[in-house]
Structures are given as C-alpha cells and as structure tokens.
Amino acid sequence: MSDFAKHRQDSAALLAVIGFIIITILSVWKLKQFKYRLVHETGGAMFYGMVLGAMVRLWSGWTEDSGGGCSCVGLNSSQTNQGSPLVSTLLKETFDPEVLFNLFLPPIIFHGAYTLNQKRFIGNLGSVVTFAFLGTVITCVIIGACVYGFTRLMVLLGQAADGDFPLTDCLLFGAIMSATDPVSVLGLFSELRVEPDLYALLFGESVLNDAVAIVLTHAITTYSHMGGGHTFDTPAFFLSVGYFVAVFAGSLLLGFIFTVITALLTKFTRLCESPLLETSLFFLLSWSSFLSAEASGLSGIVAVLFCGLSQARYTIHNLSSESKTRTKQLFEFFNFLGEIFIFSYMGFVLLTFPHHVFKALFIVGAFLAIFISRACNIYPLSFLLNLGRTTKIPRTIQHFMMFAGLRGAVAFALAVRDTSTEVRRTILTTTLLLVGVTIWLLGSATGPVLRWLDIRVGVDADENPEDLPFDQVATGRPDTTLGLWHRLDYKYLKPVLTHSGPPLTGSLPLCCGLLARLFSSPRACEDQEQLQDTEAGGASCELERAETLQGDTGSNSEPEHQEDLLEGDLGLGTSPAQAVEA
Amino acid sequence: MSDFAKHRQDSAALLAVIGFIIITILSVWKLKQFKYRLVHETGGAMFYGMVLGAMVRLWSGWTEDSGGGCSCVGLNSSQTNQGSPLVSTLLKETFDPEVLFNLFLPPIIFHGAYTLNQKRFIGNLGSVVTFAFLGTVITCVIIGACVYGFTRLMVLLGQAADGDFPLTDCLLFGAIMSATDPVSVLGLFSELRVEPDLYALLFGESVLNDAVAIVLTHAITTYSHMGGGHTFDTPAFFLSVGYFVAVFAGSLLLGFIFTVITALLTKFTRLCESPLLETSLFFLLSWSSFLSAEASGLSGIVAVLFCGLSQARYTIHNLSSESKTRTKQLFEFFNFLGEIFIFSYMGFVLLTFPHHVFKALFIVGAFLAIFISRACNIYPLSFLLNLGRTTKIPRTIQHFMMFAGLRGAVAFALAVRDTSTEVRRTILTTTLLLVGVTIWLLGSATGPVLRWLDIRVGVDADENPEDLPFDQVATGRPDTTLGLWHRLDYKYLKPVLTHSGPPLTGSLPLCCGLLARLFSSPRACEDQEQLQDTEAGGASCELERAETLQGDTGSNSEPEHQEDLLEGDLGLGTSPAQAVEA
C-alpha cells in the first residue's frame, strides 16, 4: 500500500473513531437530559466501541470469504495476523495499546490527582493510604488465591492441564484486577453531590490504588520472569518486593521533583503575568515527570500521580487565578476525551480481539473473587481504621465502598499490554468482561444503591471547600494523620515551594540562614521590608496596612496548619477515639 | 533493540525535546522581561533547535568513528541511513514530518483562522482575497521564473547539468515559498498594538495564502507527475488547474460542512449547559474537518482553515461564554506549543539533515526572488485595490507589507514532505535557510521598521472590537466587499446557523415555509410565541418585555448587516472611490 493510500486510510479510521466519540458524547448527554443518569459516559463509550467492533467484524467477514473469523487488532506485534491485512494494518496503527498507556492514561491519572479535594484528602490521608496499600495487597492476594482455587478445579474437571495456570499468573491477575476505577462512580458522585468524606475516601483510594496495582503488577511479572512460578523462590520474592519499593519510591520522588521545579519556577518568576506561558510550562513539566520516569525504567503513571497530588498541594497556590482555571480545564478536557477513548477502545477490543480465550470457570471464579476480595478489604480495614478515627466510617459507607469496586481503564491497560501467552489472553478476556459488567451493572445501580443505603446526597456545603471557614472543615475532620509529615509539609515544604507558611528563617536552623533567605517567598520578603520601612518612617497607618498584609499571608496557611496538626497519628488506633458514629 | 529499551529511548528523546521547549519558553520570556522584544518565540525556538541539532551531531560524531558525518533524521524512509542506528531510530520515530503536518500544523492554522478579527477581516475581505489568491500566484510565478533564471546561470557556469532543474521544479519552489508566515510578525503586532487594518490585511493574507500555497504546490506536483517538465503540456496544465480548483473548493466546502454541523448542534441543543461537552464537540468536529479532507484526498489544512473561519463567524455565537473562552484558550495552547515545536524542529533539521544540498547560486537567486516577487505582489495589487477602496492602503503600509514577507512553518512543512530527489533536497536546504534568515533578520527588524515607517502603534481602541459601537467600526471600514456573499451570509447563513439575523420566514420563499420554521432559532420562536401569547392576553407590560427581547435579538445582527451591505463590490474599482488617504 502506498504512503498516500495508507495516510488516507489512517485518516478515515481516526475519523470513524472521532465520529463514534461524538455520538457517545451526544447520546449520553441526551440520556442525561431525560434524567436517565444511570448511564455514565464510560458505559456508553464502551457500548459504542462494541458497536464499532461489531461493524468491523461484519465488514471484514463480508470483504473476505476465508473462514476463521476476523483478526483485526494488532495487540501484539508477535501475533500472526490471519485476517484482512487492510483492516488489521489500519487498526494496528490507529489503536496501539502503548499509545493508550502513554498518551491517554497519564492525563486521566493526573487529572484525578490534581482535582482531588486537598483538604478532605489530607483529612482522610491515613485511611486512604491504608485502603490503597494494605487494601490493594489484600485484594491482590485474595483474588489470586480464589482464582487459583478455581483453576485447580478446572484441572480436576479436565478443562485445563496441570501447570496451565501457575500461582504467579493468578496473583498477576489479582494485581491487575486490584485497580479500582475512579471514573464511573465518581462521575455520578459529583453530580449527586454525595457526602464529601465518602467522596474523598473513594476517590483517594481509587486514585492511589491504581499506582499500587501498577507497581504490584510489575513486581509480580519480575518475580515470575526470575523463574519462580511453581515453587516459592525466596530470593526472587525479596527481589520483587525490593523492586516494588524501589519503583514506587523512585517514581514518587521523580513526580515530586518535577513539582518542586514547577513550584520554584512559578514562585520566583513573574510568569503569572502570562497565563498561557504558565499553563504551558505547568503542562510540560507535569508531562516530563511521566516521561522521565518512563525513561529511567520507573513507573510513569505513579510519577504523574504524585506529581498531580503535589502540584495541587503546592504549585497551584503560586499560579495566577486564570492559570488555575486554565490548567484545570485543560486536564479536564484531556481526561474527558481520554476516558471516552479508552472505554470505547475496550468495547472495540472485546468484539474484535482475535485471540479471546473464554474459560467459563476462570470467569466465574474471577467474578466471585472480586466481590470476596473487596469484602475482605473494606470491612476489616474499616474496623481497624475506626479504632483510630475520630469520625468513624459508618456501616452504610462501608457497604457502599464494598459495592463501588468497579474496574476500568488501568485494569484494562495492564491486561492488554501483554497478550503473548494463553494465560495472558485468558486474563485479557476476563478483565474485559469484568470491566464491562461492573461498569454497566454496578455503575447503573449506583443511584438506587445510594438511595437504598440512605446515604446523604445533594450536599452543597463542600462545593468549594477552599472558601469554607476553618471551623466548618475542622469539625468535620474525620481522620488523624501522621504528624511528622505535617510538620515537614507545613514548616518546610509550604514555605519553600509557595508564598504561604511560616518564614523559613524561623523553622530552619541558624546555619542555614542563607538558604532560608534564598528560598523565602519574595512576597514575604517584600512584606517584611515594607514593615521595616514603615517602622523607620514611623507612619502608623502604613504599619497597620503592612500588618494586615502579613496577617493575610499568614491566614492562608494557619488554619491548614492547625487542621493538619490537630491529631498526629496514622489513623490506626493510637489516638483516643470518640464515639461519633454518623 | 527490545521494545522496552526502545520505549525508554523514545521517552528520553521526547523528554529532551520538552526540556528544550521549556528552555525556549523561559529564555524568550526572560528576554521580553528585559524589553528585548526583538526575539520572538519562533526565532528562539529555531535557535535552540539548532543547539539540540549541534549536540546530536557532536554526540553521534563522538560515539562512532566512521567518517562521513552524521545522518540522523529519517526524513524519508527511502533514504539510506549511514550513521548511528541508535540515534537515527530514536529521532526517526520521534520527529516524523508527517506528524508535524498532521498533528501540529492543523491547530496552528485553525487558531489563526479562529482568532481572526472577524469584523476587520470581512471589512478587508476583497483586499485579503486578492492578495491571497492573485498575490500568491504572482509570487509563485515570479519566484519560479527568477530561480529558473539562476539555474540557467548555474548551467552556464557549469555548476549544474542541463535538465537538473526543470521549470516545474522551480515553480514548485515558488509555490512552496509563496506561503508567508503569520507567526512572528503578528506576535509582535499584537504586542505593539499596530493599526487594526494593517493587522487584518497581513493576518488575513498570511492565513489565506497558506491554503493557496498548499493547493498550488499539490497542483504543480500533479502537473510534473503527468510528464510535463521540459515542454509545456496543455492537457496536463488544464488538468492541474482543474485539480487546484477542485481541491480548493472541495476542501473549503468540507470545512464549511463541519461548521454547519457544529453550528446546528450548538444552536438546537442545550449543550451550552455543559461547557466541557461543548468544547469537546467543537474540538472534535473541527478536527474532523481536517481528517475528512485528508481521508477523501483533499487538503486538510485548507479545510481546517475554512472551518476555523466559519466557526468564528457562526458557531461561536451559539456557544456559552465559558465555551467561547475555553475553545480559544485550548487552541491558543495547542498553537503555542505547536509553533515552538515546529520551529525547534526546523532548527534541528537544519543542522542534522544528512543530505543537505547547498547550491550557492540557487540560494542567492531564491533570496533575490522572494523580495522581487513580494514587491511585484504588494505594490501593483495595492494600486489596483486602492482604485476601489474607500480607505486607501497607504504607502507606508504597503512598504511594511512588502517587508513582512517572512517564511515559516507551512513553507517548511511543504518542503520537508518529499526529499527523495536532489532537487527536492536543494529546495529543503534553501527553504530552511530562507525561513531562518527571514525569521531572525526581518523578524527582529519589525520594531525598528515600524518606527522608521512611522506606523501607528499602541492602538487601544480595537482591543475588543465586538464591544465597539457600530458607528466607530463602520466609519473606519476601509474595504468594499461582494454584495452577493453578504446577502447570503446575512439573510440565510446567519439565521440558519445562529440565533441572530432576520427571521427565515421572511427571507425564504413561501414554498420553503416548513424549512424556514425548522431552521428558525428556537430562541426567536420562543420570542415570537411569547409575543403572540401576550397579544392574546392583552397584558401590555408583558408585550413590552417581549418587544424588548425581540429588539435585543435584532440589535445583535442589524449593525453588522448595515455594515456588511454598506458597499457592494469586490474592492476592485466598481464603487465610487472616496479620496481618504490615511
């Protein structure tokens, strides 16, 4: 095929995709108009993806008479393409899972982290981290064990050979399925305005557990590549645990480094005079965190996640108000299109992937496993956390969290990256089915379940939590978090990276005086100088103004400080619990 | 190389590029802080691109001892790569000229068209179209002739063989170089706030002539592919003229069709309630105009240009005010990054392209040709246009337009698409040099030249022309434009596509009554019904309110109508000229 003809076909394929995205947007929006809030964009997108897939199947079945069905998507370059070369080339180029992982997923993850309600997230940090780390590991292990049990059953029933499904592959499936999806439930949440704490818990958990699931998947892959598979291999196990910790910490650090660069750039320059430049730099530096992690063999998604979290905590305070809006809108835009694209793609792959492996028992086992594992994650951890929390996680919310274990983009992206073996193809097929069923069934049931559990919706107060007076936020503070982190955050990071927080000259030791002056906010310095000037001149009204200025700077950070330092444990039972069951 | 290693290298390459873009943004912005307005982002980007290119050259010279210099960029897949396979693969994947043409150029062109000052553009439409069509053809022919003369001289001096540079290739070079670049001069223009008419003329010309140059280039390529080259081939000539007209008209139509779809969607739905959806649909539909043109073998750039122009004329009035801002900011963002990327890429290619062909006489001839052709374009056409314009194009502005013939992204993109033959490589090398020199020399001289020519800068009045009262715009109206187009625009297109304009029931013949009612603005219908209701009820205060509403709807369009219909010729001398030399 000539370059020109190829280009025309690529354009046509892309046009078809865009056409379907447009139809998805319009139809889901139209459904919402009729108050059918049940169907989220993601569910609709997946449906239309399946329609497109069905059309492609029909078309390729029609254009070629050679039997054996359609083989369209070049999900793995090593796979042989038996079907229409035209369709396969066309789609192989247009829909590459790597494109999905490198182009569409990062903005989605960044957007999730960047738009997280900071106050509520910090307030629930202990619980969120517990659910995300401990919970994900529990989920992974239980799904793995459960599915392994079912594969043994398959062996007994003669549906699989002994050794077809080693434990590591079952654990891998567990790791892939342990990433819950923030998209569909949360989209409905913000529409229904659910209780902010439930929102923060679920959103925080689903954002963070993506990171854990991704690194866990890589760690298990590392383990199984090292030869472990049928017997337990102690060195390989510790090496993969080390790998997990190193990749996680390294990616976290890289993400944070790029936040530091962005924050210092926006703090010490007058870039805020040009929102376009500021937005562009913010975008490029955040993207760099992803690329640098990928380039150094770490996890780009984890880096971009922590970059998003820290950008929202520090850099955003240095941006001009127009840039704040612009950056949020920009990522909202990328997130929206990326989500629709990924879910359409899932639907499409579900119908066109030529090497689906449907193992009924494996699928049944997986369905059971995700519910059992979710229960073993939420209820025991909630019980443990409630020992330490001032505001308990009520039963209804626990039930709802149990229910909201949808799977989505990250699980799919992890499953689709490697389809070289039969087991991996079984995993992809099962993942796709699980994603589809949880998105459609659980996603549509969210509204009724919320009503049935009698969870408060239409909560208006937290629409813009930054405007809330301190008391309101502080009294609602449900969780207790690590004091060390808060001292670091408030005494050092905030003053270095933003214009708020106490002066560095006070918090740093005397020997670091130069450093303290260097990193002090120019605004704070100006205020200080202004104060000195007016003192020298003795103009009392000027002095008052300067004090007001200083007061203003302080008041930005003081409430947060008080809030942050209110309690100082990890939310695991070290502080006296108050019996405030909601 | 394994997939994983390749992925890491791709990420590293992309990271390096982003690093350079960040450095470009920061340094040019810093220069501006020191009031060095001379250097535009584009010039800076090209410089840093050259730095990156030099570094890659040094690095690949250092890593391999095999002589023959560096061969890094896979600009043409048919080319043999003699240099480091690592560097070449890396860059071939990351910087593909097709990516440039299909990903970065369309948003730049769209942004140019979308942000064009509509009132001023329409006011100067006759002149802009004349400059863009007639002027571009003149430029192309004169550059072609001039360069052909120099190639004959090269043959005489023994620097080239007879037949190395056929006339069609010289004309092709003329077509490539006839695209002037709106970027660098206009960036400075909006900062210095130059007279709005000069701005509209130059901007309009440079936006439209890109389209003409692109189609002209394709038409000439078609002609030379048909065997014409040394002797004049009449059927091939007419066929390529036909090709030119068909591609131009087809692309224009496609661009307009997608505007119609967007406008009708935004007019007849309540999408404006969700700015995110509205912005996404706007973006996707505009992009579709590009893709559909490319898929059907037409020119995507021309389609997206006319889509941008018509979106700004019609659809934008249906958008919510937030979406208006969002769409503009979104394209501004893509435009900014795209420009910096393309110009960096140019600088990079200038130093790393392995098959540069420097022909001194060709380059000298090209430099002379672009100035001669610009003079033969601007002065005679201005003279002709001034015969018909009510406000003449003054001498100073003509001199400035003569001076502002910079070359940029489109010329480069056209030259880089095909480097298979020696002639095409000569063209690429010469184009790169011309772009660099015009951007740096002419671009930097813009400020001084404006002062020297005593052209008014710091004009505040037109900052937001839509807010101006009608009189101010109308009295400053310098050009006269086609009456037929205006009747079409005002009586049919505006009422069908937007909420403004006179009711369709009045302008369409009686037999189209159903059609008229179908396409009438729902808002207008509501007003009408309200009016009837209140007449029936006899409530006089309600009646007044409804009348006010109707008056509001009318007042949106009436002034424009008056303005548009003020004069009714093409600006070519058919209306009585008033001697108003500015």
Side-chain angles (χ1 to χ4, degrees), chain A residues 12 20 77 129 134 162 165 199 209 232 238 265 276 289 315 392 491 557 577:
Chain A
F20 269 86
S77 48
V129 168
L134 212 57
D162 195 13
F165 292 94
Y199 189 90
N209 86 353
F232 184 73
F238 281 104
L265 260 180
L276 176 63
S289 73
T315 314
K392 308 295 179 202
K491 283 181 92 174
S557 52

Side-chain angles (χ1 to χ4, degrees), chain A residues 52-54 56-57 70-73 347-354 356:
Chain A
L52 183 63
V56 167
R57 265 195 96 106
C70 149
S71 68
C72 319
V73 190
F348 181 78
V349 170
L350 187 60
L351 280 203
T352 57
F353 180 58
H356 273 308

